[in-house]
Amino acid sequence: MNLGNYSGVWCIYPPRFNDSLTLLKTLDVRSLAGRRPVVSKAYSTVNSVAVIEVYGTLTKAGSCLGGGSTVEVRRSVRQAESDHRVKSILLVFDSPGGTVAGIGDLANEIRSTTKPTVGFVEDLCCSAAYWAASQCDKVYANNAIAMVGSIGTFMAVYDVSKALENEGVKTVVVKAGEFKGGGFPGMKVTDSQVKEWQKIVDATQDEFNAALRSGRKLSLIATRRVNTGLAYTAKEAMDFNLIDGIKSFDEVLASLQKLKN
């Protein structure tokens, strides 16, 4: 199990993130040591359409707990792009988002495709998942109450210094560099540390916003309007120009199949 998958900056729909934390608390991490990430097949081809699934919590390398690997999805997109049998690409999203690591590269891979590429929201496409989906030529949702958006970025650090102090425990970090050891369990989280971490979150969100403006052709004002962290129903997402419409999977697939000629 690669615990590094779960650290750093996140771009995920909060209710699903909380579910993941609850699950992790119940697991014996030692029993997962050495287990390989769950890797889905590259893509399936329906006539001339490559169908790529982007499911679950996204991490760069994938996880033995399930979810998607942005590296694997990138590889699938690249293979579909070079496959002479494939005339168009359909990315099917059912994901709350995930870690920021890897998502920018995936978004760039999708944006660089030369074949018609459509994103299809199968009930949920939020945060990092929407970052990727926004780079498709078109985005559709399967029904009016599919959840889309949750556009925002965060990281969290626990300050347990007071709790440990009350238990008579003192954490000592021997370091070189003012900010080295920041966030280490038992160390007090300072205002200056938070200020520096905020810069990282803001810089990441700037990249997310730039992708939105480019992929969805949103103005700066429109981008700020949806940059709230809120998830919207597909009907609301249409009003914000986050998606292009509501269609069934079969309808979207059929429209892409017609492009082969």
Side-chain angles (χ1 to χ4, degrees):
M1 180 182 183
N2 184 357
L3 291 177
N5 272 330
Y6 300 94
S7 61
V9 184
W10 285 78
C11 192
I12 190 170
Y13 183 44
R16 286 290 186 91
F17 183 71
N18 293 337
D19 291 343
S20 297
L21 286 180
T22 300
L23 173 62
L24 286 172
K25 289 177 182 177
T26 65
L27 293 175
D28 180 358
V29 176
R30 291 171 298 178
S31 68
L32 300 175
R35 288 182 57 180
R36 294 181 177 276
V38 178
V39 179
S40 59
K41 58 184 177 181
Y43 58 85
S44 57
T45 305
V46 183
N47 293 331
S48 60
V49 183
V51 180
I52 301 173
E53 297 175 348
V54 189
Y55 288 173
T57 300
L58 301 176
T59 57
K60 187 173 181 179
S63 170
C64 62
L65 300 179
S69 159
T70 55
V71 170
E72 291 299 326
V73 177
R74 279 180 62 200
R75 185 173 291 122
S76 296
V77 172
R78 188 169 298 180
Q79 289 174 348
E81 173 73 7
S82 62
D83 189 339
H84 70 276
R85 300 169 302 167
V86 171
K87 305 301 181 184
S88 56
I89 301 171
L90 178 57
L91 288 141
V92 183
F93 292 87
D94 189 359
S95 170
T99 58
V100 167
I103 199 63
D105 290 335
L106 173 57
N108 290 338
E109 193 74 51
I110 294 170
R111 182 167 58 248
S112 67
T113 56
T114 61
K115 297 176 180 179
T117 303
V118 171
F120 182 73
V121 179
E122 199 172 72
D123 295 316
L124 183 67
C125 184
C126 287
S127 295
Y130 183 74
W131 187 336
S134 70
Q135 303 308 293
C136 295
D137 298 320
K138 296 286 184 180
V139 183
Y140 297 99
N142 61 335
N143 58 58
I145 55 173
M147 302 304 295
V148 179
S150 190
I151 296 166
T153 308
F154 77 95
M155 67 181 297
V157 179
Y158 291 100
D159 186 341
V160 297
S161 57
K162 189 65 176 178
L164 291 179
E165 181 182 333
N166 291 339
E167 295 179 10
V169 178
K170 182 179 180 180
T171 300
V172 178
V173 174
V174 181
K175 60 180 182 175
E178 178 185 356
F179 295 99
K180 206 66 179 177
F184 189 86
M187 293 295 291
K188 181 177 177 57
V189 175
T190 66
D191 291 341
S192 59
Q193 288 170 344
V194 172
K195 185 177 179 179
E196 292 301 316
W197 291 327
Q198 185 66 56
K199 290 179 182 178
I200 296 173
V201 170
D202 290 343
T204 302
Q205 189 59 43
D206 286 344
E207 291 295 311
F208 192 169
N209 290 343
L212 282 180
R213 292 197 298 273
S214 173
R216 296 302 303 173
K217 304 299 186 289
L218 297 181
S219 67
L220 185 59
I221 293 175
T223 302
R224 288 174 177 169
R225 186 182 178 197
V226 297
N227 192 347
T228 62
L230 293 173
Y232 306 103
T233 63
K235 202 168 183 180
E236 293 174 305
M238 287 177 62
D239 294 335
F240 290 126
N241 195 32
L242 297 179
I243 64 173
D244 297 287
I246 299 171
K247 293 184 178 183
S248 69
F249 176 83
D250 289 340
E251 288 175 320
V252 174
L253 183 62
S255 65
L256 286 174
Q257 288 173 331
K258 291 177 182 178
L259 298 176
K260 66 181 179 179
N261 296 323

